Amino acid sequence: MLDKEEIRMSRTLLDIKNLHAEIEEEGKAILKGLNLSVKAGEVHAIMGPNGAGKSTLASVVSGKDGYEITEGSIEMDGADILELDPDERAKEGLFLAFQYPVEIPGVSNINFLRTALNEIKEYRQEEQISAKDFMAMVREKSALVDLDPKLASRSVNEGFSGGEKKRNEIFQMAMLEPKVAILDETDSGLDIDALRIVAAGVNKLKNENNAVILITHYQRLLDYIVPDFVHVLADGQIVKTGDKSLALELEEKGYDWLN
Amino acid sequence: MSEKLNNFIKNLDVSPAHFQQKAAERLGDLDFPTTKDEYWKYTRLGKLTKLELSKNADPDRLNLTKHIISNDYLVVVNGFIREDLSQYSKLDFEIDFLGSDRMAEEAFFDKSLNKKDVFASMNSAFFEKVISIKIGASKINEGPLQIIYVSKGEHIISNTRLFIEAGKSSQSEIIQTYITKESTNSFTNHVTEAYVAENAHLRINKAQLEDDSNALISTEQIHQEANSVFKINTVTLSGGLVRNNINIAVAGQNCETHMNGAIVTKKNELIDNHTFVDHQVSNCVSHENYKYVLGGKSTGVFNGRVVVQKDAQIINAYQKNGNILLSDHAKINSKPELEIYADDVKCSHGSTTGQLDDEAIFYLQARGISKDNAKKLLVRAFIGEVIESFENEHFEEYINKQLELIHGWNN
């Protein structure tokens, strides 16, 4: 018999099999048979050259319009999510930190997060959060990424600096406590201090029950968030998988040697 | 008189009062405008002008609790002032209900109304009594005075008339709410005249919640003296045909003029706002912001006219009109009309029309908010900018409540 710890460790949170996806309007194939299995407690890094399909993978998994899945499957925690709307995937525990967080004038960060949190809780048939508990949570979680609590009450991302936008993404991740978080180039445009803060936030949030997928161009993020696996995505497929040393090798040699 | 107009007013008696007889005579030379008239280019009146309408002094007691948002309120049902349903103290506002013979003695009454305007003239010919509100010099009114206009019954015409004189250095607010009780195929033809004396502050908040088979035409004729501040906010959340003609003559220096509009539709509404600011003298500021959220097969019209007269220097006139079309069948006609005859003037205008931002919808969805709720949040934020500028919490609350009741928006 397996002990409890082992059962938990073996739980697969995201299982992508033979995924083929194309851009709907152009009919252009981007993902061409991608396989990826992510278990609870793991950190995966996906690296690869421009145009390899890294951001498409993030968009397709989170359910963005404009892509057609022509083959393959995506399961989250054992359930097929391909037919779910983006919000339903979020309610199932998926989180996407955007490469380019959208500015939404007039919608306050707090207001929208509370709406999101309560919709998620309703979906999971959990009790709604009280205003008081919610505000306490905002204070606690914004401290995690050193985000000025004043920013939390401003309009979503409006007038935020690049670094503040990325920290706001991780703050939202902290508020929503996802099972699987995909961080799409969260390191891009960050100076080293901001990168450290964001990475520290992610490290505090990761535990044996959730998983983090880092999509990144650069090895430097992986100095701060240490991955269990590093995958190379090229031309729509994972062409190589290794441990964190692979990232260093990529940094040194580029991607050409893989072909 | 045209046959159409004759037919339209055939059930209405004219009072023997000289003023109203004169107005009725004027109607003889007038006709309903058509879309060939530039001023009515986008608004067809065919359906309205074919209605057979009559007056009806409805005596019923009405429960208006949900619509009362001020301690002082007047109720007007089908154009008849209902003192029995009203409640007000004369301490703050000097309120009188006067016939045209008494009103004709007022220096500013009817003076600047366009006598060629068929609806204004019709109002002058057929109003019952004028609500005359005077705010004494230096009087500061904390609470607003609300006037609730109720349409009740079928095929009813109401000609309602309001006269406001905001005395020197006074400060006050008037709320006008237009609501219905089992009302269909009816027409409210309203005229407000306001004289804003030197250094006075006057704010008018209007909420228009007409039935979708009803028409409402509202003409506001405003005169501002030096150092005065006038602000008018118009919210239209329903109504078959709603037309607002706001005409503001800025006759004194150092004035501020604000016009805001929030329009939300979902069916076949036609909501038309024509505003006109006439900067006659120097050193004034006017700000205008109208936002439309149009759904279903509705139509919006925005026409913002600003005139800066010769020698009216150092004018800052700012106009903004933003529109969101929620359906492929909704449309908006937006037109700024800037006529500037002075040279040291800062005038700006901007008009934007679009759908909701797909990227923003996806962003909200990715956080667990359903597409419908994401759209509502975005639309709410869009129109919220206008609603939050109303400077009256109770009025804002009332509008939010009506948005929930009429359009299913919750906060």
Side-chain angles (χ1 to χ4, degrees), chain B residues 1-10 25-34 49 118 122:
Chain B
M1 187 182 298
S2 80
E3 203 185 312
K4 220 185 217 173
L5 183 53
N6 194 40
N7 199 49
F8 192 75
I9 58 173
K10 71 177 180 208
E25 259 172 48
R26 267 202 322 270
L27 280 178
D29 301 325
L30 300 174
D31 196 0
F32 287 117
T34 68
T49 58
V118 68
M122 192 186 295

Side-chain angles (χ1 to χ4, degrees), chain A residues 192-205:
Chain A
I192 199 72
D193 292 330
L195 183 71
R196 275 199 195 111
I197 292 167
V198 163
V202 173
N203 285 330
K204 275 179 219 153
L205 293 172

Side-chain angles (χ1 to χ4, degrees), chain B residues 280-333:
Chain B
Q280 301 174 349
V281 295
S282 301
N283 299 311
C284 292
V285 178
S286 64
H287 271 253
E288 179 163 26
N289 188 12
Y290 272 73
K291 287 196 168 183
Y292 291 67
V293 175
L294 303 172
K297 294 177 177 170
S298 64
T299 303
V301 180
F302 174 77
N303 191 104
R305 185 171 177 220
V306 178
V307 173
V308 180
Q309 304 287 1
K310 189 170 170 281
D311 301 331
Q313 305 295 357
I314 318 179
I315 296 294
N316 190 343
Y318 174 78
Q319 183 186 92
K320 202 166 83 174
N321 166 230
N323 311 295
I324 286 182
L325 303 178
L326 294 177
S327 102
D328 293 339
H329 304 289
K331 59 172 188 268
I332 176 83
N333 296 298

Side-chain angles (χ1 to χ4, degrees), chain A residues 87 91 96 116 119 169 172, chain B residues 363 365 367-370 373:
Chain A
D87 59 292
K91 285 161 182 155
L96 171 65
E119 255 197 60
E169 293 294 287
Q172 292 176 36
Chain B
Y363 187 84
Q365 272 192 290
R367 298 296 176 255
I369 297 173
S370 70
N373 285 341

Side-chain angles (χ1 to χ4, degrees), chain B residues 264-296:
Chain B
V264 183
T265 62
K266 58 175 176 179
K267 295 180 197 160
N268 292 299
E269 303 90 333
L270 194 165
I271 315 295
D272 179 346
N273 287 290
H274 268 62
T275 64
F276 172 30
V277 184
D278 185 7
H279 283 290
Q280 301 174 349
V281 295
S282 301
N283 299 311
C284 292
V285 178
S286 64
H287 271 253
E288 179 163 26
N289 188 12
Y290 272 73
K291 287 196 168 183
Y292 291 67
V293 175
L294 303 172

Side-chain angles (χ1 to χ4, degrees), chain A residues 79-139:
Chain A
D80 178 9
I81 59 165
L82 270 186
E83 293 303 312
L84 299 183
D85 287 336
D87 59 292
E88 293 169 319
R89 297 183 195 200
K91 285 161 182 155
E92 290 289 344
L94 182 70
F95 181 87
L96 171 65
F98 282 60
Q99 183 179 0
Y100 303 108
V102 184
E103 295 194 11
I104 312 180
V107 176
S108 89
N109 236 344
I110 282 189
N111 210 349
F112 116 84
L113 266 179
R114 194 159 176 222
T115 306
L117 202 58
N118 278 333
E119 255 197 60
I120 290 170
K121 285 184 176 290
E122 195 183 328
Y123 181 88
R124 295 178 188 163
Q125 300 184 329
E126 293 168 11
E127 240 181 82
Q128 305 271 294
I129 188 164
S130 74
K132 189 170 161 252
D133 291 349
F134 177 78
M135 287 317 294
M137 195 173 167
V138 166
R139 273 192 299 276

